Structure formats: C-alpha cells, structure tokens
Amino acid sequence: VLDNFMRGRRKHVWFSVSTDLRLDAERDLKDIGAGGISVIDGCKGLDKGKGLFGTSSATKDGVVFSTYATLVSAVQQQASKVNSGAKRQKTRRLDQLIDWCGGAEFEGCLVFDECHKAKNYKDGSDQGSKVGAAVVELQKALPRARVLYCSATGVTDLENMAYMERLGLWGPGTQFDSFNDFYVEMKNRGVGALEMLAIEMKASGGYVSRALGFKSAEFDVLEAELSHTDKTCYDNGTCARARARVCVTVCVTVCVTVCVCSGSILGRG
C-alpha cells in the first residue's frame, strides 16, 4: 500500500473479517512510517464523508477498510426532495466501492486479508459463496488493480482457489481456459504437481510464505513426577487400547473370510 501510495496511486481497499481490525491496520501503517495515509471506516465512512458537494477531502483518497460482510450488503438510497414520493432503491456496497475507486481505471491495491472467507466460489452457479462471487466481481470490475491475497489457510483444498483469478494460472493467455480445467488437471496429477506449482509461483514472486520466528523465544524442560494413581491410570489405558486392537484385528479377519457364490458374497463365522 505504501509503495503504491508513493507512486501516486492514492486509493486502496483493504478487506478483512472484522471492523475491529481497522485499528490494527492503522497501527501497521504507522509502524512502517505511513501514518499519514487515511484509513476510512468502510462504506459507512464513505457515507459520512459524502456531502452536498460530493466526496469530502477526508475520504477523497486513502485506504477503505471494509469487511466481507459489507461487500455483499446493500443500503437504501434516500429519496430526493424533488421526488420524495418515489420508492427508495437499494444500492449495493460493492457498486459503491467500485464507484469510489473510479471504475476500470483504478490502479490501487485490493488487499484481501483472511481471503479464505471467499472460498466455496462456484463459477456460473448460484449455489456458491456470495462473498466469493462478490470478490470475483470486484476483481473483474477493477482489471488494473494490484491484488493481494493473504491467508494462513488459503488453499487447504485446491477447489478453494477459484476466486484467485489474478494469480494468472488460468484464463486468457494461459494453458487452462477456466478454473475447472486447471482444477481437474492439477487434481489428476497429484501432490507432486501441486508442489511444483508452489515452487514456480515462489520463483515468479506470485507466492510468498512466511513462518513465525523463534527469535528471543525461551523454553524450559520440566519433568512431571507421576504418582502411583497416574501410573495405574496410564497402564489401564494402554491395556484397554491393546485389547481393542486385538478385537478389531479378529473382526477384520472374520469379515475377510468370505465365500463368493453365485455372484454374491457370504460371510462365515
């Protein structure tokens, strides 16, 4: 965000799971010397900053911090004084964000923090996630935006990558026409192909993975003395587990002893 802001791209949108995390976003920006960048409190902040003469200077640029729940919500427009009897229409928050960004010419950042909230997206189906559909629609409406996906559990299942269209793994100019083609091919090739994909993405700069550091971490090895009762409880538990294992083995052996007769399987014992 700071890099793009210094390059003249002064509007950015940051999504996360809770409005409380806005304070964390402000703190993080201050920590890197970007405390001068305004963090707008979602679409409500845009509503407050919009007056009779358009958007105020306080919300003209900066980072709009919004939640995924807001992204799929809508708000009713107030009827004008001239046509006060007209029925009020609902405006999607998604459209409001696109309008604030400036439409297809927007070149700022779209930061999807905790982006796994957009998983379960089904292309061309109404049964998928509404959040996922909104995230995909936003990316298509802002084709020149810089997109960042952040999550600790973003790809627990390959199918959860469907909304990550900006990775450049499928679509025009790639080997796969759609995500479904990419998904089927990667699934058929197994874990080895996924590992090669991760290596390729890291090499190209499209994937960054970090682990928590243990610098200044301290630990002590403590020995817990077991009482006679503790030892007895542990011994009884291990004996019960051993007996259960023997019973399961016997049951499996009996079930495997089958006789195939006239196309049917008959169990004996």
Side-chain angles (χ1 to χ4, degrees):
V1 171
L2 176 59
D3 177 69
N4 281 275
F5 196 86
M6 299 302 294
R7 294 175 185 271
R9 306 178 188 107
R10 308 184 71 84
K11 288 185 176 183
H12 310 278
V13 185
W14 186 332
F15 294 97
S16 194
V17 294
S18 172
T19 55
D20 297 336
L21 296 176
R22 178 176 62 87
L23 300 178
D24 295 334
E26 293 178 345
R27 180 204 60 205
D28 293 342
L29 289 173
K30 290 180 181 179
D31 289 344
I32 62 173
I37 300 178
S38 173
V39 179
I40 304 168
D41 186 12
C43 292
K44 292 182 178 179
L46 296 178
D47 293 338
K48 294 178 181 178
K50 189 173 182 180
L52 296 176
F53 301 100
T55 304
S56 67
S57 58
T59 58
K60 189 175 181 180
D61 55 33
V63 179
V64 173
F65 190 91
S66 178
T67 63
Y68 292 102
T70 300
L71 186 61
V72 296
S73 63
V75 62
Q76 286 188 340
Q77 291 182 332
Q78 293 183 355
S80 63
K81 295 182 179 180
V82 178
N83 192 14
S84 58
K87 185 178 179 180
R88 293 190 297 178
Q89 296 181 346
K90 286 187 176 182
T91 300
R92 297 189 306 168
R93 290 299 194 184
L94 174 61
D95 295 330
Q96 184 181 10
L97 289 172
I98 295 174
D99 182 65
W100 180 82
C101 290
E105 299 301 318
F106 173 74
E107 295 185 345
C109 295
L110 291 179
V111 180
F112 296 105
D113 185 25
E114 304 290 348
C115 63
H116 53 268
K117 290 294 182 181
K119 67 181 182 180
N120 298 325
Y121 167 68
K122 306 291 184 182
D123 188 16
S125 174
D126 296 334
Q127 298 179 355
S129 167
K130 291 183 179 180
V131 173
V135 167
V136 172
E137 183 178 352
L138 181 64
Q139 294 176 91
K140 291 181 178 179
L142 307 174
R144 302 178 66 177
R146 276 74 175 165
V147 179
L148 176 64
Y149 307 106
C150 304
S151 177
T153 56
V155 197
T156 51
D157 190 339
L158 184 64
E159 192 175 7
N160 295 338
M161 293 180 64
Y163 64 91
M164 300 182 181
E165 295 192 337
R166 293 300 183 88
L167 293 179
L169 300 177
W170 60 87
T174 65
Q175 185 178 356
F176 307 102
D177 294 334
S178 65
F179 172 75
N180 289 333
D181 296 336
F182 168 80
Y183 173 75
V184 171
E185 188 69 21
M186 290 295 103
K187 188 175 181 180
N188 291 338
R189 292 186 180 184
V191 178
L194 298 179
E195 292 179 348
M196 293 300 298
L197 175 64
I199 293 174
E200 182 179 348
M201 291 178 62
K202 282 187 176 182
S204 64
Y207 174 52
V208 178
S209 178
R210 292 289 184 265
L212 296 177
F214 290 93
K215 185 178 180 180
S216 301
E218 298 180 356
F219 68 92
D220 293 323
V221 178
L222 302 178
E223 294 185 3
E225 293 291 340
L226 298 180
S227 64
H228 177 71
T229 303
D230 296 333
K231 294 179 180 180
T232 302
C233 182
Y234 178 82
D235 292 341
N236 292 337
T238 54
C239 290
R241 181 177 180 275
R243 288 195 298 270
R245 184 174 182 178
V246 172
C247 292
V248 171
T249 303
V250 172
C251 291
V252 171
T253 303
V254 172
C255 292
V256 169
T257 306
V258 295
C259 177
V260 179
C261 180
S262 301
S264 61
I265 300 178
L266 302 177
R268 291 184 177 179

